[in-house]
Amino acid sequence: TNRFPDNANELVAAGMPGKQANNWWEIVSGAATNGNDTPSVRFIADGDILLLRHVGTKRYLRTGNAKPHNQGWDRRVVAAGNITALSAWDFWRVRIVDDVSPRPSGQLYAVTTRLQLINKLSGCLLTATPAQLPKWGRDMSELICSQKNTSMAEGTLWNVEQVRDKRFKNANYQKLVKRQWLRDTVWINREMARSNNRLVPDPDRYKVIESSAWSWPFLIYPMRMGAWKDDSIKYYEIGNPILWWASAICCLFIYPAQIAYMFVCHRRKCSSWKPAEIRQFWDVTKLLWGGWFTHYIPFFFFGRVLYLHHFATALYFALLLLAYEIQCAMRWYMPTRSAWPVAIVIIAIAGYVFYLFSPLTFGWDRPIKELAYLQWLPTWNLVTDPHLVL
């Protein structure tokens, strides 16, 4: 339903990853000038002329003389017209590129066939570009009709992912498509990287579930999960705040200071630790602190939107480091008779805090105001959201 600012009659036809209602198009035979497909079921062959009618808006995929938004050449692609107002720009010729199944070539099959669409009037090639449209285009990737109609670039190759016409038989793709592990692995990771890069935050819009990487160790902005109505089951991504904060202090302050102190003592030959103790401590903590560091610091360089659960892997390493530091402190600085009571107190505190926050972990189906006593920080949006502008 988004429109071009210079032509309100043209809807934006653009690319967006993932399956959604806007992805459905109806293939209409170009031989039917009234816009209705022939009643009989037949395969689409190489060279056939067709129209693409958007199911949701009943508009047709169309190009024309207007230029795309992000470049001054080629042609714009829009959704325009209707069943009584067709244009010569609405007709597209099918070019079958290849098919990965052993079925007869030269025909269009769902999933396995790669094809190109060439505008019948201008000869330009329907192409998906990496360039994004502005806010009026919902930041989707722009579609153009390129005059380079001999290109085999990836953006010019299309396929039908699913057919809803029940007149067609379902195919067993396990028998038709042979998996290529290395190719498929590279492809899926590349597509995941591309889709992640498209998830850019909007600085002018507040979203209750987003947060910045710097806030994660301090649990400044826990995340609501699901609806927040009185009768809905509410989950709050918060965990155990005491362990969360203690592990953050350990990773950010205690461990770096400890390593620096050990290094200085070693250089001055005034260390009270045995070499075997230092070696064991270093071998364990370099893995745990390194795991926390490598799973946390890279998020500062990400351009995509971030959520609190992105910190979960780093949190595992931080909690393990905290436990090991407590163990070392008890072994080095406390007699055995004193260490056990301290350990029991620590376990009791951690268990009690876990019990307090367990309704938010396992789900709370009553009014959230009953848990208002758990809002320990003013930045937490447990009961009310202090950042939401009504």
Side-chain angles (χ1 to χ4, degrees):
T1 57
N2 298 76
R3 302 176 184 272
F4 283 93
D6 59 349
N7 192 336
N9 295 322
E10 295 178 344
L11 300 182
V12 175
M16 177 177 286
K19 290 186 177 182
Q20 54 176 305
N22 279 330
N23 291 355
W24 289 103
W25 293 81
E26 182 181 357
I27 299 177
V28 182
S29 172
T33 56
N34 61 355
N36 293 319
D37 199 359
T38 53
S40 60
V41 177
R42 65 180 182 86
F43 281 104
I44 297 174
D46 185 52
D48 280 358
I49 304 298
L50 53 81
L51 300 97
L52 291 173
R53 183 166 58 207
H54 188 247
V55 173
T57 62
K58 304 302 180 183
R59 304 290 186 97
Y60 289 88
L61 189 69
R62 176 181 297 180
T63 186
N65 292 318
K67 303 300 180 185
H69 173 77
N70 288 303
Q71 59 190 43
W73 60 94
D74 291 327
R75 300 176 186 274
R76 179 185 297 180
V77 176
V78 300
N82 53 56
I83 196 171
T84 60
L86 292 177
S87 167
W89 297 101
D90 298 343
F91 293 86
W92 302 86
R93 178 167 56 86
V94 176
R95 178 194 288 167
I96 302 295
V97 177
D98 57 24
D99 196 296
V100 297
S101 72
R103 293 178 291 191
S105 60
Q107 294 180 340
L108 176 61
Y109 301 96
V111 180
T112 61
T113 303
R114 294 195 302 175
L115 69 146
Q116 292 180 319
L117 293 172
I118 303 172
N119 188 259
K120 180 182 178 182
L121 183 62
S122 66
C124 61
L125 185 62
L126 182 65
T127 304
T129 70
Q132 289 185 317
L133 293 169
K135 298 301 180 184
W136 51 261
R138 296 173 56 191
D139 298 320
M140 295 184 291
S141 60
E142 185 174 24
L143 298 184
I144 66 171
C145 201
S146 174
Q147 293 299 143
K148 298 179 180 179
N149 57 12
T150 60
S151 173
M152 287 293 169
E154 186 177 12
T156 67
L157 303 177
W158 304 87
N159 76 306
V160 178
E161 291 186 355
Q162 186 178 353
V163 177
R164 292 197 299 193
D165 194 330
K166 295 182 179 180
R167 293 176 295 178
F168 289 91
K169 296 181 179 180
N170 293 329
N172 187 348
Y173 289 101
Q174 292 183 346
K175 296 180 179 180
L176 294 174
V177 181
K178 184 178 180 181
R179 288 289 184 184
Q180 298 184 27
W181 180 84
L182 181 60
R183 182 202 65 182
D184 293 346
T185 301
V186 172
W187 181 84
I188 192 65
N189 279 275
R190 184 188 62 185
E191 292 304 312
M192 285 192 297
R194 287 180 175 179
S195 62
N196 273 275
N197 290 334
R198 294 189 186 103
L199 299 174
V200 294
D202 186 351
D204 299 324
R205 183 180 179 185
Y206 169 69
K207 293 187 177 179
V208 67
I209 61 174
E210 294 179 12
S211 59
S212 300
W214 66 267
S215 68
W216 296 341
F218 310 103
L219 198 58
I220 295 177
Y221 304 112
M223 191 173 83
R224 292 181 179 181
M225 304 182 69
W228 220 245
K229 299 178 180 179
D230 287 346
D231 58 346
S232 63
I233 301 178
K234 293 167 281 295
Y235 300 91
Y236 203 48
E237 196 169 44
I238 192 170
N240 189 320
I242 294 297
L243 294 181
W244 197 301
W245 290 327
S247 64
I249 294 172
C250 180
C251 290
L252 292 171
F253 305 109
I254 295 178
Y255 181 72
Q258 196 173 19
I259 291 299
Y261 179 72
M262 286 183 170
F263 177 76
V264 172
C265 290
H266 177 73
R267 291 295 297 261
R268 295 182 177 180
K269 301 186 183 301
C270 62
S271 176
S272 60
W273 294 286
K274 298 177 182 179
E277 290 179 333
I278 296 178
R279 189 178 304 110
Q280 182 186 19
F281 179 81
W282 172 247
D283 288 342
V284 175
T285 57
K286 70 180 180 183
L287 172 65
L288 298 179
W289 190 86
W292 171 84
F293 184 89
T294 55
H295 286 85
Y296 173 50
I297 298 301
F299 284 103
F300 284 92
F301 305 98
F302 280 26
R304 57 153 291 164
V305 294
L306 299 175
Y307 308 104
L308 183 62
H309 54 253
H310 288 142
F311 187 63
T313 308
L315 181 63
Y316 296 149
F317 285 98
L319 293 173
L320 291 173
L321 180 62
L322 173 65
Y324 186 72
E325 285 279 17
I326 293 174
Q327 179 190 15
C328 290
M330 292 181 176
R331 187 173 68 243
W332 291 345
Y333 306 115
M334 295 182 184
T336 305
R337 297 179 62 180
S338 301
W340 275 108
V342 172
I344 292 174
V345 171
I346 293 175
I347 294 173
I349 293 174
Y352 178 67
V353 175
F354 171 80
Y355 169 76
L356 282 179
F357 285 87
S358 60
L360 300 176
T361 300
F362 297 106
W364 182 257
D365 58 356
R366 296 163 60 180
I368 198 63
K369 292 181 179 180
E370 297 181 16
L371 300 179
Y373 61 90
L374 295 179
Q375 184 153 339
W376 291 2
L377 293 182
T379 56
W380 293 0
N381 58 356
L382 179 61
V383 179
T384 59
D385 195 341
H387 309 285
L388 186 61
V389 179
L390 299 179

